[in-house]
Amino acid sequence: MMTLVNRRFELTDEEWELLRPFLPAPSFGRPRADDRTMLNGIVWKIRAGAAWRDVPTRYGPWQSLYTRFRRWALDGTFTCVTLRPRAPHVVVRR
């Protein structure tokens, strides 16, 4: 497990462990950027209310963050993440 210094808008290790199972598995092809780093960047952007271009580079290129955000929004990942903890009896098909 990777331990990170938590900044103001970053997920704790406990939060990450709860969310990780809901994220899609990596597909074949080019290795993708770390999901935790990407999710921290997305959370930073939303909480800060900043433009994608203003997300700190420690989270990766803003274009990659936006693409991951868009992909997860369209494929239902964020729906799974938000619904499942509140309704553990709900089965979400992926």
Side-chain angles (χ1 to χ4, degrees):
M1 175 172 36
M2 180 167 55
T3 303
L4 298 172
V5 175
N6 283 343
R7 293 185 168 98
R8 182 175 177 196
F9 295 133
E10 294 185 353
L11 300 169
T12 65
D13 290 339
E14 294 79 23
E15 290 168 332
W16 172 243
E17 290 304 318
L18 288 171
L19 295 175
R20 183 169 52 169
F22 298 105
L23 301 179
S27 58
F28 297 100
R30 188 171 146 201
R32 69 182 194 188
D34 178 60
D35 284 336
R36 184 174 183 173
T37 303
M38 290 276 122
L39 190 54
N40 278 330
I42 292 167
V43 169
W44 186 95
K45 187 261 186 255
I46 292 168
R47 287 185 177 172
W52 286 107
R53 291 177 185 265
D54 297 332
V55 175
T57 57
R58 69 176 172 266
Y59 299 119
W62 71 266
Q63 297 94 331
S64 298
L65 289 167
Y66 174 76
T67 300
R68 187 79 56 96
F69 170 79
R70 187 85 173 118
R71 185 178 312 132
W72 286 350
L74 293 174
D75 73 5
T77 298
F78 290 129
T79 302
C80 292
V81 167
T82 57
L83 288 181
R84 185 69 175 166
R86 287 188 224 138
H89 61 282
V90 174
V91 177
V92 180
R93 305 254 183 239
R94 303 263 303 136

Coordinates of all heavy atoms in Angstrom, one line a residue:
M1 N 0.9 -1.2 0.0 CA 0.0 0.0 0.0 C 0.9 1.2 0.0 O 1.9 1.3 0.7 CB -0.9 0.0 1.2 CG -1.7 1.2 1.4 SD -3.0 1.2 2.6 CE -2.3 0.3 4.0
M2 N 0.5 2.2 -0.8 CA 1.3 3.4 -0.9 C 0.8 4.4 0.2 O -0.4 4.7 0.3 CB 1.1 4.0 -2.3 CG 1.9 5.3 -2.5 SD 2.0 5.9 -4.2 CE 0.3 5.9 -4.7
T3 N 1.7 5.0 1.0 CA 1.4 6.0 2.0 C 1.7 7.3 1.4 O 2.8 7.6 1.0 CB 2.1 5.7 3.3 OG1 1.8 4.4 3.7 CG2 1.6 6.7 4.3
L4 N 0.8 8.2 1.4 CA 1.0 9.6 0.9 C 0.8 10.6 2.0 O 0.1 10.3 3.0 CB 0.0 9.9 -0.2 CG 0.0 9.1 -1.4 CD1 -1.2 9.4 -2.3 CD2 1.2 9.3 -2.2
V5 N 1.5 11.7 1.9 CA 1.2 12.8 2.8 C -0.1 13.4 2.4 O -0.2 13.8 1.2 CB 2.4 13.8 2.8 CG1 2.0 15.0 3.6 CG2 3.7 13.2 3.2
N6 N -1.1 13.4 3.2 CA -2.4 14.0 2.9 C -2.4 15.5 2.9 O -2.1 16.1 3.9 CB -3.5 13.4 3.8 CG -3.8 12.0 3.4 OD1 -3.5 11.5 2.4 ND2 -4.5 11.4 4.4
R7 N -2.7 16.0 1.8 CA -2.9 17.5 1.7 C -4.4 17.7 1.9 O -5.2 16.8 2.1 CB -2.5 18.0 0.3 CG -1.0 17.8 0.2 CD -0.5 18.4 -1.2 NE 0.9 18.6 -1.2 CZ 1.7 17.7 -1.8 NH1 1.2 16.6 -2.4 NH2 3.0 17.9 -1.8
R8 N -4.8 19.0 2.0 CA -6.1 19.4 2.3 C -7.2 18.6 1.5 O -8.2 18.2 2.1 CB -6.2 20.9 2.1 CG -7.5 21.4 2.5 CD -7.5 22.9 2.3 NE -8.8 23.5 2.7 CZ -9.1 24.7 2.3 NH1 -8.3 25.5 1.7 NH2 -10.3 25.2 2.6
F9 N -7.1 18.5 0.2 CA -8.1 17.9 -0.6 C -7.9 16.5 -1.0 O -8.5 15.9 -1.8 CB -8.3 18.7 -1.9 CG -8.8 20.1 -1.6 CD1 -8.2 21.2 -2.3 CD2 -9.9 20.4 -0.8 CE1 -8.7 22.5 -2.1 CE2 -10.3 21.6 -0.6 CZ -9.7 22.7 -1.2
E10 N -6.9 15.8 -0.3 CA -6.6 14.4 -0.8 C -7.2 13.4 0.1 O -7.5 13.6 1.3 CB -5.1 14.3 -0.8 CG -4.4 15.1 -1.9 CD -3.0 14.9 -2.1 OE1 -2.3 14.2 -1.3 OE2 -2.4 15.5 -3.0
L11 N -7.4 12.2 -0.5 CA -8.1 11.1 0.2 C -7.1 10.5 1.3 O -5.9 10.4 1.0 CB -8.4 10.0 -0.8 CG -9.4 10.4 -1.9 CD1 -9.5 9.3 -2.9 CD2 -10.8 10.7 -1.3
T12 N -7.7 10.2 2.4 CA -6.9 9.5 3.4 C -6.8 8.0 3.0 O -7.5 7.6 2.0 CB -7.6 9.5 4.8 OG1 -8.8 8.7 4.7 CG2 -7.9 10.9 5.3
D13 N -5.9 7.3 3.6 CA -5.7 5.8 3.3 C -7.0 5.1 3.5 O -7.4 4.2 2.7 CB -4.6 5.2 4.1 CG -3.2 5.7 3.7 OD1 -3.0 6.2 2.6 OD2 -2.3 5.6 4.6
E14 N -7.8 5.4 4.5 CA -9.0 4.8 4.8 C -10.1 5.1 3.7 O -10.8 4.2 3.2 CB -9.6 5.2 6.2 CG -8.8 4.7 7.3 CD -7.5 5.6 7.6 OE1 -7.5 6.8 7.2 OE2 -6.6 5.1 8.2
E15 N -10.1 6.3 3.3 CA -11.1 6.7 2.2 C -10.7 6.0 0.9 O -11.6 5.5 0.2 CB -11.1 8.2 2.0 CG -11.7 9.0 3.1 CD -11.4 10.5 3.0 OE1 -10.4 10.9 2.5 OE2 -12.3 11.2 3.5
W16 N -9.4 5.9 0.6 CA -8.9 5.3 -0.6 C -9.3 3.8 -0.6 O -9.8 3.2 -1.6 CB -7.4 5.4 -0.8 CG -6.9 4.6 -1.9 CD1 -6.0 3.6 -1.8 CD2 -7.2 4.7 -3.3 NE1 -5.7 3.1 -3.0 CE2 -6.5 3.8 -4.0 CE3 -8.1 5.5 -4.0 CZ2 -6.6 3.6 -5.3 CZ3 -8.2 5.3 -5.4 CH2 -7.5 4.4 -6.0
E17 N -9.1 3.1 0.5 CA -9.5 1.7 0.6 C -10.9 1.4 0.4 O -11.3 0.4 -0.1 CB -9.0 1.1 2.0 CG -7.5 1.0 2.1 CD -6.8 0.2 0.9 OE1 -7.4 -0.9 0.6 OE2 -5.8 0.6 0.4
L18 N -11.8 2.4 0.8 CA -13.2 2.2 0.6 C -13.6 2.4 -0.8 O -14.5 1.8 -1.3 CB -14.0 3.2 1.5 CG -14.0 3.0 3.0 CD1 -14.6 4.2 3.7 CD2 -14.8 1.7 3.3
L19 N -12.9 3.4 -1.5 CA -13.3 3.7 -2.9 C -12.6 2.8 -4.0 O -13.2 2.6 -5.0 CB -12.9 5.2 -3.2 CG -13.7 6.2 -2.4 CD1 -13.1 7.6 -2.7 CD2 -15.2 6.1 -2.7
R20 N -11.5 2.3 -3.7 CA -10.7 1.6 -4.7 C -11.5 0.4 -5.3 O -11.4 0.3 -6.6 CB -9.4 1.0 -4.1 CG -8.6 0.3 -5.1 CD -7.2 0.0 -4.6 NE -7.2 -0.7 -3.3 CZ -6.1 -1.2 -2.8 NH1 -5.0 -1.1 -3.4 NH2 -6.2 -1.8 -1.7
P21 N -12.3 -0.4 -4.6 CA -13.0 -1.5 -5.3 C -14.0 -1.0 -6.3 O -14.4 -1.8 -7.2 CB -13.7 -2.2 -4.1 CG -13.0 -1.8 -2.9 CD -12.5 -0.4 -3.2
F22 N -14.4 0.2 -6.3 CA -15.5 0.7 -7.2 C -14.9 1.3 -8.5 O -15.6 1.5 -9.4 CB -16.3 1.8 -6.5 CG -17.0 1.3 -5.3 CD1 -16.6 1.7 -4.1 CD2 -18.1 0.5 -5.5 CE1 -17.3 1.2 -2.9 CE2 -18.8 0.0 -4.4 CZ -18.4 0.4 -3.1
L23 N -13.6 1.4 -8.6 CA -12.9 2.0 -9.8 C -12.7 0.8 -10.8 O -12.4 -0.3 -10.4 CB -11.6 2.6 -9.4 CG -11.7 3.8 -8.4 CD1 -10.3 4.3 -8.1 CD2 -12.6 4.9 -8.9
P24 N -12.9 1.1 -12.1 CA -12.7 0.1 -13.1 C -11.3 -0.4 -13.1 O -10.3 0.3 -12.8 CB -13.0 0.8 -14.4 CG -13.5 2.2 -14.1 CD -13.2 2.4 -12.6
A25 N -11.2 -1.7 -13.5 CA -9.8 -2.3 -13.6 C -9.1 -1.7 -14.8 O -9.8 -1.3 -15.8 CB -10.0 -3.8 -13.7
P26 N -7.8 -1.6 -14.7 CA -7.1 -1.1 -15.9 C -7.3 -2.0 -17.1 O -7.4 -3.2 -17.0 CB -5.6 -1.2 -15.4 CG -5.6 -1.3 -14.0 CD -6.9 -2.0 -13.6
S27 N -7.4 -1.4 -18.3 CA -7.6 -2.1 -19.5 C -6.2 -2.4 -20.1 O -5.2 -2.0 -19.5 CB -8.4 -1.3 -20.5 OG -7.8 -0.1 -20.7
F28 N -6.2 -3.1 -21.2 CA -5.0 -3.5 -21.8 C -4.4 -2.3 -22.6 O -5.1 -1.3 -22.8 CB -5.2 -4.7 -22.8 CG -5.6 -5.9 -22.1 CD1 -7.0 -6.3 -22.1 CD2 -4.7 -6.7 -21.4 CE1 -7.4 -7.4 -21.4 CE2 -5.1 -7.8 -20.8 CZ -6.5 -8.2 -20.8
G29 N -3.2 -2.4 -23.0 CA -2.5 -1.3 -23.7 C -1.6 -0.5 -22.8 O -1.0 -1.0 -21.9
R30 N -1.5 0.8 -23.1 CA -0.6 1.7 -22.5 C -0.9 1.7 -21.0 O -2.1 1.9 -20.6 CB -0.7 3.0 -23.1 CG 0.3 4.0 -22.6 CD 0.2 5.2 -23.5 NE 0.5 6.4 -22.7 CZ 0.2 7.6 -22.9 NH1 -0.5 7.9 -24.0 NH2 0.5 8.6 -22.1
P31 N 0.1 1.6 -20.1 CA -0.2 1.7 -18.6 C -0.8 3.1 -18.3 O -0.3 4.1 -18.8 CB 1.2 1.5 -18.0 CG 2.1 1.0 -19.0 CD 1.5 1.4 -20.4
R32 N -1.8 3.1 -17.5 CA -2.4 4.4 -17.2 C -1.9 4.9 -15.9 O -1.3 4.2 -15.1 CB -3.9 4.3 -17.1 CG -4.4 3.4 -15.9 CD -5.9 3.3 -16.0 NE -6.5 2.8 -14.8 CZ -7.8 2.5 -14.6 NH1 -8.6 2.6 -15.7 NH2 -8.2 2.1 -13.5
A33 N -2.1 6.2 -15.6 CA -1.6 6.9 -14.4 C -2.3 6.3 -13.2 O -3.4 5.7 -13.3 CB -1.9 8.4 -14.5
D34 N -1.7 6.4 -12.1 CA -2.2 5.9 -10.8 C -3.6 6.4 -10.5 O -3.9 7.6 -10.5 CB -1.3 6.3 -9.7 CG -1.7 5.8 -8.3 OD1 -1.9 4.6 -8.1 OD2 -1.9 6.7 -7.5
D35 N -4.6 5.5 -10.2 CA -5.9 5.9 -9.9 C -6.1 6.8 -8.7 O -6.9 7.8 -8.8 CB -6.8 4.7 -9.7 CG -7.1 3.9 -11.0 OD1 -7.1 4.6 -12.1 OD2 -7.5 2.7 -10.9
R36 N -5.3 6.6 -7.7 CA -5.4 7.4 -6.5 C -5.0 8.8 -6.8 O -5.6 9.8 -6.4 CB -4.6 6.8 -5.4 CG -4.8 7.6 -4.1 CD -4.1 6.9 -2.9 NE -4.3 7.7 -1.7 CZ -4.0 7.2 -0.5 NH1 -3.4 6.1 -0.4 NH2 -4.2 7.9 0.6
T37 N -3.9 9.0 -7.5 CA -3.4 10.3 -7.9 C -4.4 11.0 -8.7 O -4.7 12.2 -8.5 CB -2.1 10.2 -8.6 OG1 -1.1 9.5 -7.8 CG2 -1.5 11.6 -9.0
M38 N -5.0 10.3 -9.7 CA -6.0 10.9 -10.6 C -7.2 11.3 -9.8 O -7.8 12.4 -9.9 CB -6.4 9.9 -11.7 CG -5.4 9.6 -12.7 SD -5.4 10.9 -14.0 CE -3.8 11.4 -13.9
L39 N -7.7 10.4 -8.9 CA -8.9 10.7 -8.1 C -8.6 11.9 -7.2 O -9.5 12.8 -7.0 CB -9.3 9.5 -7.3 CG -10.7 9.6 -6.6 CD1 -11.8 10.0 -7.6 CD2 -11.0 8.3 -5.9
N40 N -7.4 12.0 -6.6 CA -7.1 13.2 -5.8 C -7.1 14.4 -6.6 O -7.6 15.5 -6.1 CB -5.7 13.0 -5.1 CG -5.8 12.1 -3.9 OD1 -6.8 12.1 -3.2 ND2 -4.7 11.4 -3.6
G41 N -6.6 14.4 -7.8 CA -6.7 15.6 -8.7 C -8.1 16.0 -9.0 O -8.4 17.2 -9.0
I42 N -9.0 15.0 -9.3 CA -10.4 15.3 -9.6 C -11.0 15.9 -8.4 O -11.8 16.9 -8.5 CB -11.1 14.0 -10.0 CG1 -10.5 13.6 -11.4 CG2 -12.6 14.2 -10.1 CD1 -10.9 12.2 -11.8
V43 N -10.8 15.3 -7.2 CA -11.4 15.9 -5.9 C -10.8 17.3 -5.7 O -11.6 18.2 -5.3 CB -11.0 14.9 -4.7 CG1 -11.4 15.6 -3.4 CG2 -11.8 13.6 -4.9
W44 N -9.5 17.5 -5.9 CA -9.0 18.9 -5.8 C -9.7 19.9 -6.7 O -10.1 20.9 -6.2 CB -7.5 18.9 -6.1 CG -6.8 20.2 -5.8 CD1 -6.2 20.5 -4.7 CD2 -6.8 21.4 -6.6 NE1 -5.8 21.8 -4.7 CE2 -6.2 22.4 -5.9 CE3 -7.3 21.6 -7.9 CZ2 -6.0 23.6 -6.5 CZ3 -7.1 22.9 -8.4 CH2 -6.5 23.9 -7.7
K45 N -9.9 19.5 -7.9 CA -10.5 20.4 -8.9 C -12.0 20.7 -8.4 O -12.4 21.9 -8.5 CB -10.5 19.7 -10.3 CG -11.0 20.6 -11.4 CD -12.5 20.4 -11.7 CE -13.0 21.1 -12.9 NZ -13.9 22.2 -12.6
I46 N -12.7 19.7 -8.0 CA -14.1 19.9 -7.7 C -14.2 20.8 -6.4 O -15.0 21.7 -6.3 CB -14.8 18.6 -7.5 CG1 -15.0 18.0 -8.9 CG2 -16.2 18.8 -6.9 CD1 -15.4 16.5 -9.0
R47 N -13.4 20.4 -5.4 CA -13.5 21.1 -4.1 C -13.0 22.5 -4.2 O -13.5 23.5 -3.5 CB -12.7 20.4 -3.0 CG -13.4 19.1 -2.6 CD -12.7 18.5 -1.4 NE -13.4 17.3 -0.9 CZ -12.9 16.5 -0.1 NH1 -11.7 16.7 0.5 NH2 -13.6 15.4 0.4
A48 N -11.9 22.8 -5.0 CA -11.4 24.1 -5.2 C -12.2 25.0 -6.1 O -12.1 26.2 -6.1 CB -9.9 24.0 -5.7
G49 N -13.0 24.3 -7.0 CA -13.8 25.1 -7.9 C -12.9 25.7 -9.0 O -13.3 26.7 -9.6
A50 N -11.8 25.1 -9.3 CA -10.9 25.6 -10.3 C -11.1 25.1 -11.6 O -11.9 24.1 -11.8 CB -9.4 25.3 -9.8
A51 N -10.5 25.7 -12.6 CA -10.6 25.2 -14.0 C -9.6 24.0 -14.1 O -8.7 23.8 -13.3 CB -10.2 26.2 -15.0
W52 N -9.9 23.1 -15.1 CA -9.1 21.9 -15.2 C -7.6 22.3 -15.4 O -6.7 21.7 -14.9 CB -9.5 21.1 -16.4 CG -10.8 20.3 -16.1 CD1 -12.0 20.6 -16.6 CD2 -10.9 19.2 -15.3 NE1 -12.9 19.7 -16.1 CE2 -12.3 18.8 -15.3 CE3 -10.0 18.4 -14.5 CZ2 -12.7 17.7 -14.5 CZ3 -10.5 17.4 -13.8 CH2 -11.8 17.0 -13.8
R53 N -7.4 23.4 -16.2 CA -6.0 23.8 -16.4 C -5.2 24.3 -15.2 O -4.0 24.3 -15.2 CB -6.0 24.9 -17.5 CG -6.4 24.5 -18.8 CD -6.4 25.7 -19.8 NE -6.9 25.3 -21.1 CZ -6.2 24.9 -22.1 NH1 -4.9 25.0 -22.0 NH2 -6.7 24.6 -23.3
D54 N -6.0 24.6 -14.1 CA -5.4 25.1 -12.9 C -5.1 24.0 -11.9 O -4.6 24.3 -10.8 CB -6.3 26.2 -12.3 CG -6.4 27.4 -13.2 OD1 -5.5 27.6 -14.0 OD2 -7.4 28.1 -13.1
V55 N -5.4 22.8 -12.2 CA -5.1 21.7 -11.2 C -3.6 21.5 -11.1 O -2.9 21.5 -12.1 CB -5.8 20.4 -11.7 CG1 -5.4 19.2 -10.8 CG2 -7.3 20.5 -11.8
P56 N -3.0 21.4 -9.9 CA -1.6 21.3 -9.7 C -1.0 20.1 -10.5 O -1.7 19.1 -10.6 CB -1.4 21.1 -8.2 CG -2.6 21.7 -7.6 CD -3.7 21.5 -8.6
T57 N 0.1 20.3 -11.0 CA 0.8 19.3 -11.9 C 1.1 18.0 -11.1 O 1.4 17.0 -11.7 CB 2.0 19.8 -12.6 OG1 2.9 20.3 -11.6 CG2 1.7 20.9 -13.5
R58 N 1.2 18.1 -9.8 CA 1.5 16.8 -9.0 C 0.4 15.8 -9.2 O 0.7 14.6 -8.9 CB 1.6 17.2 -7.5 CG 0.3 17.5 -6.8 CD 0.6 17.7 -5.3 NE -0.6 18.3 -4.7 CZ -0.8 19.6 -4.4 NH1 0.1 20.5 -4.8 NH2 -1.9 20.0 -3.8
Y59 N -0.8 16.1 -9.7 CA -1.8 15.2 -10.0 C -1.7 14.6 -11.5 O -2.5 13.8 -11.8 CB -3.2 15.8 -9.8 CG -3.4 16.2 -8.4 CD1 -3.6 17.5 -8.0 CD2 -3.3 15.3 -7.3 CE1 -3.8 18.0 -6.7 CE2 -3.5 15.7 -6.0 CZ -3.7 17.0 -5.7 OH -3.9 17.4 -4.4
G60 N -0.8 15.2 -12.2 CA -0.7 14.7 -13.6 C -1.2 15.8 -14.6 O -1.7 16.9 -14.1
P61 N -1.1 15.6 -15.9 CA -1.6 16.5 -16.8 C -3.1 16.8 -16.7 O -3.8 15.8 -16.5 CB -1.2 15.9 -18.2 CG -0.2 14.8 -17.9 CD -0.5 14.4 -16.5
W62 N -3.5 18.0 -16.8 CA -4.9 18.3 -16.7 C -5.8 17.6 -17.7 O -6.9 17.2 -17.4 CB -5.2 19.8 -16.7 CG -5.0 20.5 -18.0 CD1 -3.9 21.1 -18.5 CD2 -6.0 20.6 -19.1 NE1 -4.1 21.5 -19.8 CE2 -5.4 21.3 -20.1 CE3 -7.3 20.2 -19.2 CZ2 -6.1 21.5 -21.3 CZ3 -8.0 20.4 -20.4 CH2 -7.4 21.1 -21.4
Q63 N -5.2 17.3 -18.9 CA -6.0 16.6 -19.9 C -6.3 15.2 -19.5 O -7.3 14.7 -19.7 CB -5.2 16.6 -21.3 CG -4.9 18.0 -21.8 CD -3.6 18.6 -21.4 OE1 -3.1 18.3 -20.4 NE2 -3.1 19.4 -22.3
S64 N -5.3 14.6 -18.8 CA -5.5 13.2 -18.3 C -6.5 13.2 -17.2 O -7.4 12.2 -17.2 CB -4.2 12.6 -17.8 OG -3.2 12.5 -18.8
L65 N -6.5 14.1 -16.4 CA -7.5 14.2 -15.3 C -8.9 14.4 -15.9 O -9.8 13.7 -15.4 CB -7.2 15.4 -14.4 CG -5.9 15.2 -13.5 CD1 -5.6 16.6 -12.9 CD2 -6.2 14.2 -12.4
Y66 N -9.0 15.3 -16.8 CA -10.3 15.5 -17.4 C -10.8 14.3 -18.1 O -12.0 13.9 -18.0 CB -10.3 16.7 -18.4 CG -11.6 16.9 -19.2 CD1 -12.7 17.4 -18.5 CD2 -11.7 16.4 -20.4 CE1 -13.9 17.5 -19.1 CE2 -12.9 16.5 -21.1 CZ -14.0 17.1 -20.4 OH -15.2 17.2 -21.1
T67 N -9.9 13.6 -18.9 CA -10.3 12.4 -19.6 C -10.8 11.3 -18.6 O -11.8 10.7 -18.9 CB -9.1 11.9 -20.5 OG1 -8.8 12.9 -21.4 CG2 -9.5 10.6 -21.2
R68 N -10.0 11.1 -17.5 CA -10.4 10.1 -16.6 C -11.7 10.5 -15.9 O -12.6 9.7 -15.7 CB -9.3 10.0 -15.5 CG -9.5 8.9 -14.5 CD -9.1 7.5 -15.1 NE -7.8 7.4 -15.6 CZ -6.7 7.0 -14.9 NH1 -6.9 6.6 -13.6 NH2 -5.5 7.0 -15.4
F69 N -11.9 11.8 -15.5 CA -13.2 12.2 -15.0 C -14.3 12.0 -15.9 O -15.4 11.4 -15.5 CB -13.1 13.7 -14.7 CG -14.4 14.4 -14.3 CD1 -14.9 14.2 -13.0 CD2 -15.1 15.1 -15.2 CE1 -16.1 14.8 -12.6 CE2 -16.3 15.6 -14.9 CZ -16.8 15.5 -13.6
R70 N -14.1 12.3 -17.1 CA -15.2 12.2 -18.2 C -15.6 10.7 -18.3 O -16.7 10.3 -18.4 CB -14.7 12.8 -19.5 CG -15.7 12.9 -20.5 CD -16.6 14.1 -20.4 NE -17.4 14.2 -21.5 CZ -18.8 14.1 -21.5 NH1 -19.4 14.0 -20.3 NH2 -19.5 14.1 -22.6
R71 N -14.5 9.8 -18.4 CA -14.7 8.4 -18.6 C -15.5 7.8 -17.4 O -16.5 7.1 -17.6 CB -13.4 7.7 -18.8 CG -13.5 6.2 -19.1 CD -12.2 5.6 -19.3 NE -11.3 6.3 -20.3 CZ -10.1 6.6 -20.0 NH1 -9.5 6.2 -18.9 NH2 -9.4 7.3 -20.9
W72 N -15.1 8.2 -16.2 CA -15.7 7.6 -15.0 C -17.1 8.2 -14.9 O -18.0 7.5 -14.4 CB -14.9 7.9 -13.8 CG -13.7 7.1 -13.7 CD1 -13.3 6.0 -14.4 CD2 -12.6 7.2 -12.8 NE1 -12.1 5.4 -14.0 CE2 -11.6 6.2 -13.0 CE3 -12.3 8.1 -11.8 CZ2 -10.5 6.1 -12.3 CZ3 -11.1 8.0 -11.0 CH2 -10.2 7.0 -11.3
A73 N -17.4 9.4 -15.3 CA -18.7 10.0 -15.2 C -19.6 9.2 -16.2 O -20.8 8.9 -15.9 CB -18.7 11.5 -15.5
L74 N -19.2 9.0 -17.4 CA -20.0 8.3 -18.4 C -20.2 6.9 -18.2 O -21.3 6.3 -18.5 CB -19.4 8.6 -19.8 CG -19.4 10.0 -20.3 CD1 -18.6 10.1 -21.7 CD2 -20.8 10.5 -20.5
D75 N -19.2 6.2 -17.6 CA -19.4 4.7 -17.4 C -20.1 4.3 -16.1 O -20.2 3.2 -15.8 CB -18.1 4.0 -17.6 CG -17.1 4.2 -16.4 OD1 -17.5 4.8 -15.4 OD2 -15.9 3.7 -16.5
G76 N -20.5 5.3 -15.3 CA -21.2 5.0 -14.1 C -20.3 4.8 -12.8 O -20.8 4.5 -11.8
T77 N -19.0 5.0 -13.0 CA -18.2 4.8 -11.8 C -18.5 5.8 -10.7 O -18.6 5.3 -9.5 CB -16.7 5.1 -12.2 OG1 -16.3 4.1 -13.2 CG2 -15.8 5.0 -11.0
F78 N -18.8 7.0 -10.9 CA -19.1 7.9 -9.9 C -20.5 7.6 -9.2 O -20.7 7.8 -8.0 CB -19.1 9.4 -10.3 CG -17.7 9.9 -10.6 CD1 -17.4 10.5 -11.8 CD2 -16.7 9.7 -9.7 CE1 -16.1 10.9 -12.1 CE2 -15.4 10.1 -10.0 CZ -15.1 10.8 -11.2
T79 N -21.4 7.1 -10.0 CA -22.7 6.6 -9.5 C -22.5 5.5 -8.5 O -23.0 5.5 -7.4 CB -23.6 6.2 -10.6 OG1 -23.8 7.3 -11.5 CG2 -25.0 5.7 -10.1
C80 N -21.6 4.5 -8.9 CA -21.3 3.4 -8.0 C -20.7 3.9 -6.7 O -21.0 3.5 -5.6 CB -20.3 2.5 -8.6 SG -21.0 1.5 -10.0
V81 N -19.7 4.9 -6.8 CA -19.0 5.4 -5.6 C -19.9 6.1 -4.7 O -19.8 6.0 -3.5 CB -17.8 6.3 -6.1 CG1 -17.3 7.1 -4.9 CG2 -16.8 5.5 -6.8
T82 N -20.9 6.9 -5.2 CA -21.8 7.7 -4.4 C -23.0 6.9 -3.8 O -23.4 7.1 -2.7 CB -22.3 8.9 -5.1 OG1 -23.0 8.5 -6.3 CG2 -21.2 9.9 -5.5
L83 N -23.5 5.9 -4.6 CA -24.6 5.1 -4.1 C -24.3 4.0 -3.2 O -25.0 3.7 -2.2 CB -25.4 4.6 -5.3 CG -26.2 5.5 -6.2 CD1 -26.9 4.8 -7.3 CD2 -27.2 6.3 -5.3
R84 N -23.3 3.3 -3.5 CA -22.9 2.0 -2.8 C -22.7 2.3 -1.3 O -23.3 1.5 -0.5 CB -21.7 1.4 -3.4 CG -21.4 0.0 -2.8 CD -22.5 -1.0 -3.1 NE -22.0 -2.3 -2.6 CZ -22.8 -3.3 -2.5 NH1 -24.0 -3.3 -2.9 NH2 -22.3 -4.4 -2.0
P85 N -21.9 3.2 -0.8 CA -21.8 3.4 0.6 C -23.0 3.7 1.4 O -23.2 3.3 2.5 CB -20.8 4.5 0.8 CG -20.0 4.6 -0.5 CD -21.1 4.1 -1.6
R86 N -24.0 4.4 0.7 CA -25.2 4.8 1.4 C -26.3 3.6 1.3 O -27.1 3.6 2.2 CB -25.8 6.0 0.7 CG -25.1 7.2 1.1 CD -25.8 8.4 0.5 NE -24.9 9.3 -0.1 CZ -25.0 10.0 -1.2 NH1 -26.1 9.9 -1.9 NH2 -24.1 10.7 -1.7
A87 N -26.2 2.8 0.3 CA -27.1 1.7 0.2 C -26.4 0.4 -0.1 O -26.3 -0.1 -1.3 CB -28.1 2.0 -0.9
P88 N -25.7 -0.2 0.9 CA -24.9 -1.4 0.6 C -25.6 -2.6 0.1 O -25.0 -3.5 -0.5 CB -24.3 -1.7 2.0 CG -25.0 -0.9 3.0 CD -25.7 0.2 2.3
H89 N -26.9 -2.6 0.2 CA -27.7 -3.7 -0.3 C -28.0 -3.6 -1.8 O -28.4 -4.5 -2.4 CB -29.1 -3.7 0.4 CG -29.9 -2.5 0.3 ND1 -29.6 -1.3 1.0 CD2 -30.9 -2.2 -0.5 CE1 -30.5 -0.4 0.6 NE2 -31.3 -0.9 -0.3
V90 N -27.7 -2.4 -2.4 CA -28.0 -2.2 -3.8 C -26.8 -2.8 -4.6 O -25.7 -2.6 -4.3 CB -28.0 -0.7 -4.1 CG1 -28.1 -0.5 -5.6 CG2 -29.2 -0.1 -3.4
V91 N -27.2 -3.6 -5.6 CA -26.2 -4.3 -6.4 C -26.1 -3.4 -7.7 O -27.1 -3.2 -8.4 CB -26.6 -5.7 -6.8 CG1 -25.6 -6.3 -7.8 CG2 -26.8 -6.6 -5.5
V92 N -24.9 -3.0 -7.9 CA -24.6 -2.1 -9.1 C -23.9 -3.0 -10.1 O -22.8 -3.5 -9.8 CB -23.8 -0.9 -8.8 CG1 -23.6 0.0 -10.0 CG2 -24.5 -0.1 -7.7
R93 N -24.5 -3.2 -11.3 CA -23.8 -4.0 -12.3 C -22.9 -3.2 -13.1 O -23.2 -2.1 -13.5 CB -24.9 -4.6 -13.3 CG -25.9 -5.4 -12.5 CD -25.8 -6.9 -12.7 NE -26.9 -7.6 -12.1 CZ -26.6 -8.4 -11.1 NH1 -25.4 -8.7 -10.8 NH2 -27.6 -9.1 -10.6
R94 N -21.7 -3.7 -13.3 CA -20.6 -2.9 -14.1 C -20.4 -3.6 -15.4 O -20.4 -4.7 -15.6 CB -19.3 -2.8 -13.3 CG -19.5 -2.2 -12.0 CD -19.2 -0.7 -11.9 NE -17.9 -0.4 -12.2 CZ -17.6 0.7 -13.0 NH1 -18.6 1.4 -13.4 NH2 -16.4 1.0 -13.3

